[in-house]
Amino acid sequence: MGIKNKYAEIYIDIKAFDIDHAFDYRIPPGLCSDIDTGKIVLVPFQNRIEVGFIVGVKNKSEIGNNQLKDIIKVIGSRPVFNFKKLELIRWISKYYVQPLGSVIKFFLPPGGKYKKAIIHRRIGLKFKDYVSLNRDKYNLAKDDINWKINSSRKKIIDYLMLSGEVPKEKLIRDTGSGYSSLAGLAGRGIVSVVKKRQNRDFRYEYQGGGSLKKNIILNSYQKNAVGAIDNYIQKEAYHKFLIQGVAGSGKTEIYMAACKKILEKKKKAIILTPEISLTPQLYSRFEREFGPRVCVYHSNMSEAERYERWLDIWENKFDIIIGTRSAIFAPVSSLGIIILDEEHDPSYKEGTLVRYNTQDVAIKLGEILDIPVVMGSATPSVVTRYRAEKEKDFTLLNVPIKARSTSFLEMEAVDLRRINRLKEDTVITGKLFTAIREELEKDNKVIIFLNRRGYSNFVICSKCGSVPKCSACDLSFNYHSDRRRLVCHHCGREQNYTGKCPVCGADSIFLYGTGIQRVQSKLQDRFKGIPILRMDSDVTSKRKSHQEILKKFISPGKSILIGTQMVAKGLDIGDVTLVGVINCDSMLALPDYHMNERVYQLITQVSGRAGREKKKGRVIIQTYNPDSSVMKNILEMDYESFYRQELANRKELSYPPFSNLVNIIVSGKKEEKVKKNIEQLFAEISRVIKIGNSILGPAPAPFHKVNLFYRWHIMIKSGDIEDLGKKLAVILKRFKKFGENKIIVDVDPVWIL
Ligand code: ADP
Ligand code: ZN
């Protein structure tokens, strides 16, 4: 930095809305050469010393020189972000209406350790001594030493001659020599001992050797896709791609082929996957292809592991980084491509304070760095698919066929309306039971899928399957039994509940989520002696059990796996021939406009678990709504019709992609206060934001009470999200100080529950 920059703009590391701007500090002449954007500093702030981040330098300040304070100290020798990353940080902060300080966090070494760790680099790291022989010194000294008395030293030297550099402990162990012998040699400079940073035992450490590379010849669809992407890799230019291809169509092979091109250009790649459970599979495929330059980076590693990995990536030890959403912030230099697998997955949404969508952050980063961004899915999100059609710098690449197997799926529905509830079980119907028995008799495996988001507060007609909906929002009413009223949890409209279906006049029933234990015990009664495994978040919260359950399920012979959303993703098991879907209606009825899309994606994904190899796959879906258009599209495996229909629905009520939504949730322990707050907020928003937006609410959130907290929300549909964001930021700055209630701002929510 030139000597003329006398001032630095600095963000203070405090999460508070009212100090959400940069402060000017004087650069003392002694620190001048150390100051740079992206560096961490210590500064005086309100009678304390705080950590700050330099976001700019300049030679003039509006603030009088006598009011300015000096930077105390620069921490670390390298900046943790550069001006391009800063551009991304600024964008995230503005777009998602969050303090810049909260966004910077994503870019720092993990675990908040930077305060200590960057000052004393060794904290949290493991070091190990390595010994090597200095041959020159040895040759000079060897004649002066009486090796007979020093036989222990001789052993060390012989060992090092053969082995080269070795860890000290290993050397001592293998030679049986003492530390004093080693120290003697080191003292004369004959051997040198150096400290090297050790990685902890990573769960995904490069194993080497392993299985051989597959020699795959890409088919014409794959070649076409790789060619299109490579075009932009060669041009070093920004472009978006959506690869749409069913499970097994060879998307991962396309990603790998693109990565090869990236490595040839001496650049790096980030590959994102929505779930931690999917990283090992992806890692092992990439590792087989690219060897030790591939690493995994995600939030379920221990803090120390993540910190080490972060440093490794920073120090350019890896070329391909595979991870979940936080990996988009990994300190990768010369990034050449960003790839997002399973683009449609709602797990790409960060659920904490800064509610970013990884897809949009990736796209923005791609734009800033001028590099291609590739997304892939069998069932693209409606928004992404629409953008791929509309936007000039977005290309849709179709891969319509499976790469290897020719197996096919047989989809059928069981119409729950026609089940005689007095004679037949509605949890597992006769048809599903029979099918399970048939497949088990053939020594095949069965997966039973249950929806996790069980939701009981709505009514459904047992005769025609219809669910009463709010006419304004086209979303199901929530039943409030205390007042016997139907309430729309979006706009707050209410309606009397008569107990009769408004469509056909028959009696309505309440639909309760079916518990996974109940399904398990029913199956255990019927199929004695057959392994019946269960995978849901209760069982799999322990780190390893997920893998153990899978192992049991995969072992040869018949078995049944019952599970929630987790079983839908990424399992690749040969012998599964039947997938039963128990309760998708409770999901379809959730008052969230995303639900059609989620159900389509989920059932398609879980169906893909059947018939992966040569065997035919069967899928049986139990539903009250076999005639609904989503169900029909699912049964016919017709994404295109689903997409067109869904797009038309959304257009009518201007849901995304025809608008952007912002969901503002106020929550707190005292409902009266929550209501009062949200009404004030609503009044303020309605006063400031008028044109081009429609404001819904305030209404109780669909999940109205969570963990003792009452939740109310306001939804804004906007045609100009950036302008809305600016205005909201101004309003929220005032409301942030709103007593004990919490305000969450969710821009482009993926759930509105
Ligand atoms: P996706 O990522 O779309 O689910 P994958 O890339 O995992 O598909 O491919 C499914 C399987 O088919 C993998 O075992 C993969 O190695 C194999 N495969 C993909 N493309 C080809 C090809 N062109 N020739 C032979 N096998 C292929
Ligand atoms: Zn409504």
Side-chain angles (χ1 to χ4, degrees), residues 205-334:
E205 198 62 86
Y206 175 62
Q207 298 299 328
S211 34
L212 292 171
K213 274 189 197 183
K214 284 193 203 167
N215 250 330
I216 280 178
I217 297 162
L218 298 180
N219 64 34
S220 61
Y221 295 106
Q222 290 170 313
K223 268 194 203 137
N224 172 46
V226 176
I229 297 165
D230 188 38
N231 190 11
Y232 285 89
I233 294 175
Q234 299 310 325
K235 278 199 281 192
E236 311 197 355
Y238 165 65
H239 196 81
K240 290 164 282 187
F241 296 93
L242 172 61
I243 306 175
Q244 186 176 336
V246 294
S249 59
K251 296 184 293 296
T252 310
E253 297 294 340
I254 299 173
Y255 307 152
M256 294 202 287
C259 283
K260 254 187 224 157
K261 309 275 185 191
I262 287 292
L263 296 193
E264 281 164 18
K265 295 217 68 152
K266 301 263 180 290
K267 292 197 163 188
K268 301 198 179 103
I270 292 179
I271 297 145
L272 302 173
T273 171
E275 291 280 335
I276 288 166
S277 63
L278 299 176
T279 49
Q281 269 182 30
L282 206 55
Y283 173 67
S284 70
R285 278 180 78 176
F286 273 81
E287 180 219 57
R288 207 187 300 153
E289 190 67 38
F290 298 104
R293 304 287 295 175
V294 185
C295 78
V296 169
Y297 184 76
H298 60 62
S299 58
N300 196 32
M301 302 162 116
S302 73
E303 210 166 77
E305 267 181 341
R306 274 215 299 158
Y307 179 56
E308 286 182 6
R309 260 296 121 97
W310 193 94
L311 282 181
D312 287 343
I313 296 169
W314 205 30
E315 289 165 0
N316 290 313
K317 290 192 182 142
F318 298 107
D319 298 321
I320 297 176
I321 290 91
I322 294 175
T324 49
R325 52 180 187 266
S326 60
I328 191 74
F329 303 116
V332 183
S333 58
S334 42

Side-chain angles (χ1 to χ4, degrees), residues 470-475 477 488-493:
C470 166
S471 54
C473 306
D474 195 32
L475 296 168
F477 277 121
C488 173
H489 279 195
H490 277 255
C491 65
R493 279 184 179 77

Side-chain angles (χ1 to χ4, degrees), residues 116-131:
K116 280 184 252 151
I118 292 194
I119 305 169
H120 318 285
R121 278 286 301 264
R122 289 188 179 178
I123 286 181
L125 298 178
K126 278 205 276 192
F127 286 82
K128 208 173 185 176
D129 288 337
Y130 279 76
V131 186

Side-chain angles (χ1 to χ4, degrees), residues 523-532:
L523 287 170
Q524 262 156 356
D525 286 349
R526 294 286 281 268
F527 301 105
K528 294 217 159 64
I530 287 169
I532 297 175

